[in-house]
Amino acid sequence: MRVIICSDHLQRREESYRQAAQDLQDEPPPRPKGLLQRIIWLVTARKTMEMAARHARVSEMEAEADRFAQGRVGEDSFVQALSTQLDDRYVLLKGYRPPPPWHQGGDIDGLLVGPHGVSVIEVKAWRGFYRYSGEDWLFRKNRRAVWEVARKNPTAQAVANTQRIQHVLEDAGFEHMRVFSAIAAATDTMNVEVIPPVSVPLYLAYLPGARLDTIIGPTGRQAELSLSQVEQALAILMPPASARLG
């Protein structure tokens, strides 16, 4: 499988938060001017309170950096898992953003183009326990906790991004191109209980030999696209020339 890296958004956000946390940690503590103000600052424990607030903010920034790092590692794990199952007839656009006017909505985690058509993939590397049924995602902190609605819905994200790609292809006269939606659980930290039926297939990237039809759809039911058709689709979807090959 060929990989085209269209965006390093997760890495840049991670580095940004880590640098901001380091800068705040290295910044000298503010000291009020004047002897009286300094005495009041010390006696009233304002110094301790301000330092505690700073440490809390640093911890928040580091937690955000860790979250982006977790997503980046998860996406890399997904790419590695998929590459063991697909040959070079397939091309994965990683961190892809559609051209205007369909660029609104941010980057798409993975866009797989190949003989099967196009797959729009939402990659998650969450931690914790999840339940997926129909279009709904529930979350609980541990096995004894009560289920609650998950903060984000990968199914809704995958469907919305699929519609964006369908519009891009339709605008270019490729309205008959087959477009699939998929969700990938990238790491085993994401414990998902699946209750069929589900509206978007779930690919468990961390399992050896995970079912490939959850990504490219059932095989053998429709004729594969020719190499020229795949290249045509890529020409429509291809990111700017500045994209890096992986």
Side-chain angles (χ1 to χ4, degrees), residues 124-142:
K124 296 300 182 189
W126 291 342
R127 297 180 184 274
F129 300 90
Y130 296 86
R131 175 178 287 174
Y132 176 32
S133 180
E135 301 177 356
D136 301 324
W137 284 79
L138 301 178
F139 167 77
R140 61 181 178 181
K141 297 179 181 179
N142 55 63

Side-chain angles (χ1 to χ4, degrees), residues 66-122:
D66 290 343
R67 184 173 66 84
F68 283 108
Q70 179 179 327
R72 175 177 54 79
V73 171
E75 288 190 2
D76 290 344
S77 298
F78 160 73
V79 172
Q80 183 176 3
L82 201 59
S83 65
T84 64
Q85 296 182 281
L86 298 174
D87 56 38
D88 281 348
R89 295 176 301 163
Y90 295 85
V91 180
L92 180 70
L93 307 182
K94 184 172 177 287
Y96 173 78
R97 178 167 295 192
W102 311 111
H103 61 295
Q104 298 294 335
D107 295 348
I108 296 174
D109 295 336
L111 198 67
L112 182 68
V113 185
H116 71 295
V118 179
S119 296
V120 183
I121 308 162
E122 185 70 25

Side-chain angles (χ1 to χ4, degrees), residues 17-18 21 57-69:
Y17 273 106
R18 293 206 190 283
R57 181 58 182 149
V58 168
S59 296
E60 290 174 0
M61 291 178 177
E62 290 176 342
E64 282 296 298
D66 290 343
R67 184 173 66 84
F68 283 108

Side-chain angles (χ1 to χ4, degrees), residues 98-222:
W102 311 111
H103 61 295
Q104 298 294 335
D107 295 348
I108 296 174
D109 295 336
L111 198 67
L112 182 68
V113 185
H116 71 295
V118 179
S119 296
V120 183
I121 308 162
E122 185 70 25
V123 182
K124 296 300 182 189
W126 291 342
R127 297 180 184 274
F129 300 90
Y130 296 86
R131 175 178 287 174
Y132 176 32
S133 180
E135 301 177 356
D136 301 324
W137 284 79
L138 301 178
F139 167 77
R140 61 181 178 181
K141 297 179 181 179
N142 55 63
R143 295 184 186 278
R144 295 184 178 181
V146 176
W147 289 107
E148 55 188 75
V149 177
R151 186 169 58 90
K152 291 185 178 181
N153 187 315
T155 301
Q157 292 174 303
V159 170
N161 286 332
T162 298
Q163 291 173 346
R164 294 165 67 194
I165 296 303
Q166 287 173 328
H167 285 306
V168 172
L169 294 170
E170 288 169 2
D171 288 350
F174 266 52
E175 62 271 9
H176 300 302
M177 176 70 69
R178 299 192 296 273
V179 182
F180 301 89
S181 301
I183 302 166
T187 66
D188 58 5
T189 62
M190 187 174 175
N191 189 309
V192 185
E193 175 188 356
V194 179
I195 302 178
V198 294
S199 58
V200 174
L202 178 67
Y203 176 72
L204 302 177
Y206 54 86
L207 292 181
R211 289 177 50 190
L212 196 56
D213 62 347
T214 56
I215 291 289
I216 64 174
T219 58
R221 295 188 179 181
Q222 292 178 308

